[in-house]
Amino acid sequence: MRNQELSKIFNEIAEYLEMEGVPFKPYAYQKAAITLAALKDDVGEVYEKRGIKGLKEIPGVGASISQKIEEFLRTGKIEYYEEFKRKMPVELDEIVKVEGVGPRKAKVLFENLGVRNLQELEDAAKAHKIAPLFGFGDKSEQNILEALEFLKRSHGRFLLGEILPAAQAVLERLKQLKEVEAIDTAGSLRRMKETIGDVDFLVISRDPQKVMDFFVSLPGVVKVWGKGSTKSSVRLKEGFDMDLRVIPPESYGAALQYFTGSKDHNIELRKIAIDRGLKLSEYGLFQGPRMVAGKTEEEVYRALGMEWIPPEMRENMGEIDAALAGELPRIIDYGDVKGDLHVHCNWNGGANSIEELAAAAMALGYEYIGISDHTKFLRIERGLDEETLKKRNKEIEGINERLRQEGKVFRVLKGCEANIMSDGSIDIDDEALAELDYVIAGVHSQFKMSREVMTERLITALKNPHVDIISHPTGRILKRRDEYEVDLGRVLEAAKDYRKVLEINAYPERLDLNDVNILRAKKLGVRMVINTDTHQVSQLHLMKFGVAQARRGWAERADIINTWPVEELLRVFQ
Ligand SMILES: [Zn+2]
Ligand SMILES: [Zn+2]
């Protein structure tokens, strides 16, 4: 379709114009690109029927752009665009993906160093040719190298935490369309994987055209890769792509199953279908030409002889065998959490008072919140010393007293997040720790140690009778830092032996323990807690990411102590 080709060319012209620093014009081309991609009628037919006048009537297409469309329809190319390409043969689409390199910087890099693609960009940065350029410097050269490294590692994947809010907003908008009879997200987003490639929506609709028109013209759409009656594909300004498919109602469950994945899970499922003389596809489960199941996911799984499997578990980690045996664990639910134990208040580096945090936790329906301020070693976070910790405890006791008088069952627990020093000791006195309801300890410094020494460091901390919970046990930060070298198997054993709790940190950049390690811990019988590591009140909402990770690791309520009532919880800490 010529609409899409033209749309792509106009997008690139917009980028070239931006390279040149031309004001306003790039926006006009972008707008035309979006309109064309979303246009119902083929632009060639419009031109055949009504000439250049018809083109001009397309919204966003003015005199100059309609001439270029005419040129393209007659000659197959646009000279204006060809000239840009001759002058600046740069793979713009690739280069602008590097964080910190926009079209204008790409121009400087090309004109001074001849950089045309990612490889040449990396070579130039490694040879320190970028730092001396005007507008760059050592720091930005270093940043470019890191961004390139990241691009290689992440293959363009995004954090679940970055994508989920945008995807949910789109879902809500689509839901409100009267033409949308059913809608779901599929893919890795539905499985709540920690990083996401793109977003998939499945829809039932008797009027797909209206749904597609709406979808491709959503605010925030910067590119339309394709628009048809059963599938459309767009890019959002945040940089990720979204696909929307319209599915016949009788195939909806099969399609949802198919597009949710994972690939490995689906391959196993298809084998089971074959063993039973059936054929499973995105259209349904078939016996010969007869459809056996397809309308709902439940009926597809049932027809294959198993219970429905929660999307988070569909990673081919043994869930299919468990489902066939009727032994799927009853994994925890998003509403099962009764409190959050890793919360920083304004006594240390947090933004909110204990009162504000407690009120927000009550509004979430929690029964308790644990305040876990940093202790004294962490100066940047204004870590508390023994004396300030005492004063903070007094404030908590006062709040609890008032809550009791008001007849509320809600409770604020006294905790801290102490630092595990390089030798495994804790940075604050035992007496101060003894006055708390519970103690979290975590590694916040000296991440680069030998595996042996780091393992001993964590085990020493686990042996400490005051320590109850180890926060973010592997120290990884997604997109920034790998986990430190540690023998996690030995740490898990020690946690089990000393009856200590390991954290599932819900922060989208951390998600630490991750799904695989959660399953390992669960199988060993190590108890866990899901915490948000909140530093400001809005972050209490991050809990869902930790719960998702726990579900992916098959965790049940019995494994996760903050799904328990407060008395049981406190018994663990005694
Ligand atoms: Zn921490
Ligand atoms: Zn923390």
Side-chain angles (χ1 to χ4, degrees):
M1 183 120 150
R2 282 166 291 188
N3 294 15
Q4 305 308 330
E5 243 176 289
L6 274 163
S7 170
K8 195 165 173 285
I9 291 173
F10 287 152
N11 258 320
E12 278 186 44
I13 291 178
E15 270 161 5
Y16 278 121
L17 287 166
E18 224 169 284
M19 268 178 129
E20 306 266 284
V22 180
F24 310 118
K25 256 178 145 180
Y27 180 68
Y29 278 96
Q30 251 168 27
K31 239 176 92 180
I34 291 173
T35 313
L36 279 173
L39 196 67
K40 240 187 281 177
D41 310 314
D42 180 77
V43 74
E45 282 169 24
V46 173
Y47 179 68
E48 265 165 44
K49 277 188 211 146
R50 312 195 32 235
I52 196 146
K53 232 184 122 205
L55 296 179
K56 270 194 220 160
E57 279 166 18
I58 300 170
V61 174
S64 145
I65 290 180
S66 60
Q67 272 167 21
K68 292 189 177 66
I69 297 176
E70 182 178 45
E71 183 188 346
F72 180 79
L73 293 171
R74 285 186 167 170
T75 68
K77 53 185 186 188
I78 297 173
E79 188 47 36
Y80 184 61
Y81 169 64
E82 299 298 324
E83 206 183 304
F84 272 125
K85 279 209 298 189
R86 275 196 296 273
K87 229 168 54 183
M88 222 129 36
V90 175
E91 288 178 32
L92 259 182
D93 260 14
E94 271 188 21
I95 286 197
V96 297
K97 268 192 212 139
V98 179
E99 182 69 29
V101 183
R104 286 189 205 197
K105 287 202 164 167
K107 184 187 183 206
V108 178
L109 289 165
F110 173 72
E111 287 182 340
N112 290 277
L113 307 172
V115 168
R116 287 168 303 180
N117 53 42
L118 292 181
Q119 188 56 53
E120 290 172 358
L121 180 65
E122 186 177 342
D123 294 345
K126 283 194 171 147
H128 300 299
K129 287 181 183 160
I130 293 177
L133 294 179
F134 181 75
F136 284 85
D138 283 336
K139 184 114 208 278
S140 79
E141 185 175 83
Q142 193 52 40
N143 287 346
I144 287 173
L145 277 173
E146 278 168 27
L148 281 166
E149 195 50 43
F150 164 66
L151 266 184
K152 277 189 212 161
R153 270 202 298 168
S154 62
H155 301 289
R157 290 186 79 83
F158 295 81
L159 285 186
L160 175 64
E162 296 166 342
I163 286 201
L164 191 67
Q168 267 171 348
V170 170
L171 184 82
E172 287 312 315
R173 291 185 72 109
L174 285 163
K175 257 187 195 164
Q176 277 159 25
L177 269 193
K178 67 174 189 319
E179 287 81 9
V180 170
E181 288 152 51
I183 179 164
D184 281 283
T185 53
S188 46
L189 187 82
R190 182 160 179 246
R191 303 198 315 277
M192 296 291 271
K193 213 171 141 108
E194 63 196 27
T195 59
I196 305 288
D198 55 16
V199 176
D200 302 286
F201 295 103
L202 301 187
V203 163
I204 296 178
S205 176
R206 263 168 290 206
D207 193 353
Q209 203 55 56
K210 282 245 174 64
V211 179
M212 295 305 187
D213 289 345
F214 184 80
F215 180 65
V216 300
S217 54
L218 280 167
V221 168
V222 292
K223 248 181 206 164
V224 179
W225 299 115
K227 185 184 173 221
S229 59
T230 57
K231 187 189 167 193
S232 292
S233 194
V234 300
R235 171 159 293 177
L236 276 195
K237 64 179 185 312
E238 286 87 351
F240 64 89
D241 294 340
M242 304 192 302
D243 294 344
L244 184 145
R245 289 180 173 81
V246 174
I247 309 287
E250 65 276 14
S251 294
Y252 190 72
L256 187 55
Q257 196 290 315
Y258 177 87
F259 288 110
T260 296
S262 65
K263 203 183 255 166
D264 289 343
H265 175 91
N266 286 357
I267 288 171
E268 281 305 303
L269 223 52
R270 249 174 283 152
K271 280 190 207 156
I272 287 168
I274 291 166
D275 286 346
R276 291 170 181 242
L278 303 168
K279 192 171 165 280
L280 178 64
S281 72
E282 59 185 284
Y283 305 105
L285 184 64
F286 293 88
Q287 186 162 42
R290 187 175 68 92
M291 191 194 274
V292 179
K295 206 169 162 42
T296 67
E297 268 194 336
E298 284 82 356
E299 86 180 25
V300 171
Y301 281 102
R302 206 183 311 127
L304 289 170
M306 66 186 91
E307 315 166 54
W308 178 82
I309 300 174
E312 292 91 334
M313 294 180 73
R314 299 182 195 171
E315 297 292 345
N316 196 29
M317 298 206 295
E319 74 280 6
I320 292 176
D321 283 341
L324 281 169
E327 285 167 3
L328 270 183
R330 285 197 46 122
I331 56 174
I332 73 162
D333 219 332
Y334 289 93
D336 283 342
V337 170
K338 289 187 159 53
D340 194 337
L341 297 182
H342 190 158
V343 176
H344 299 275
C345 74
N346 59 4
W347 278 84
N348 74 165
N352 297 91
S353 67
I354 299 172
E355 300 249 16
E356 287 164 340
L357 291 160
M362 277 187 267
L364 286 174
Y366 286 167
E367 294 171 16
Y368 46 85
I369 188 170
I371 304 297
S372 63
D373 295 313
H374 286 294
T375 50
K376 61 188 181 185
F377 174 79
L378 267 196
R379 296 245 168 75
I380 333 171
E381 297 255 18
R382 292 195 290 127
L384 309 186
D385 60 16
E386 288 78 359
E387 210 169 305
T388 23
L389 196 60
K390 258 193 175 46
K391 287 185 197 152
R392 190 216 59 174
N393 289 346
K394 275 248 140 39
E395 183 181 327
I396 293 180
E397 283 156 18
I399 292 169
N400 278 334
E401 185 50 40
R402 233 200 13 263
L403 287 168
R404 253 196 305 278
Q405 282 166 10
E406 289 167 10
K408 299 217 170 78
V409 283
F410 188 85
R411 217 171 129 173
V412 183
L413 302 177
K414 292 174 285 187
C416 74
E417 185 185 20
N419 299 289
I420 303 174
M421 309 306 282
S422 55
D423 61 356
S425 63
I426 299 299
D427 68 328
I428 185 160
D429 287 353
D430 282 354
E431 291 108 272
L433 298 178
E435 287 173 12
L436 301 171
D437 293 312
Y438 68 99
V439 172
I440 302 178
V443 170
H444 295 102
S445 61
Q446 287 175 284
F447 304 104
K448 291 201 162 78
M449 289 183 146
S450 76
R451 186 178 163 92
E452 231 357 80
V453 178
M454 184 60 94
T455 306
E456 280 314 315
R457 180 183 182 182
L458 284 172
I459 292 176
T460 306
L462 283 163
K463 279 185 191 165
N464 185 317
H466 293 290
V467 171
D468 300 294
I469 297 169
I470 301 288
S471 53
H472 37 72
T474 74
R476 73 156 179 185
I477 299 196
L478 286 162
K479 289 173 134 181
R480 227 169 71 204
R481 190 168 82 202
D482 286 328
E483 50 187 58
Y484 36 69
E485 293 284 333
V486 67
D487 184 342
L488 193 72
R490 284 188 59 209
V491 172
L492 292 174
E493 289 287 351
K496 186 189 167 199
D497 291 346
Y498 302 108
R499 305 177 64 79
K500 297 298 164 72
V501 177
L502 296 185
E503 180 178 80
I504 299 167
N505 193 296
Y507 219 78
E509 282 84 357
R510 287 196 184 267
L511 297 174
D512 177 12
L513 300 172
N514 68 5
D515 46 7
V516 175
N517 291 330
I518 293 166
L519 186 56
R520 278 174 83 184
K522 177 202 160 80
K523 284 184 172 161
L524 263 177
V526 174
R527 284 175 295 201
M528 292 165 275
V529 59
I530 309 173
N531 288 328
T532 57
D533 208 344
T534 282
H535 285 70
Q536 63 177 67
V537 88
S538 63
Q539 293 171 336
L540 287 171
H541 291 279
L542 299 176
M543 185 59 83
K544 58 178 171 286
F545 296 105
V547 176
Q549 199 71 195
R551 285 167 64 82
R552 291 176 55 82
W554 299 31
E556 298 171 78
R557 280 208 294 266
D559 303 311
I560 306 291
I561 63 166
N562 56 326
T563 63
W564 306 353
V566 71
E567 300 77 29
E568 276 180 55
L569 182 79
L570 291 174
R571 259 203 295 283
V572 176
F573 298 145
Q574 271 157 19

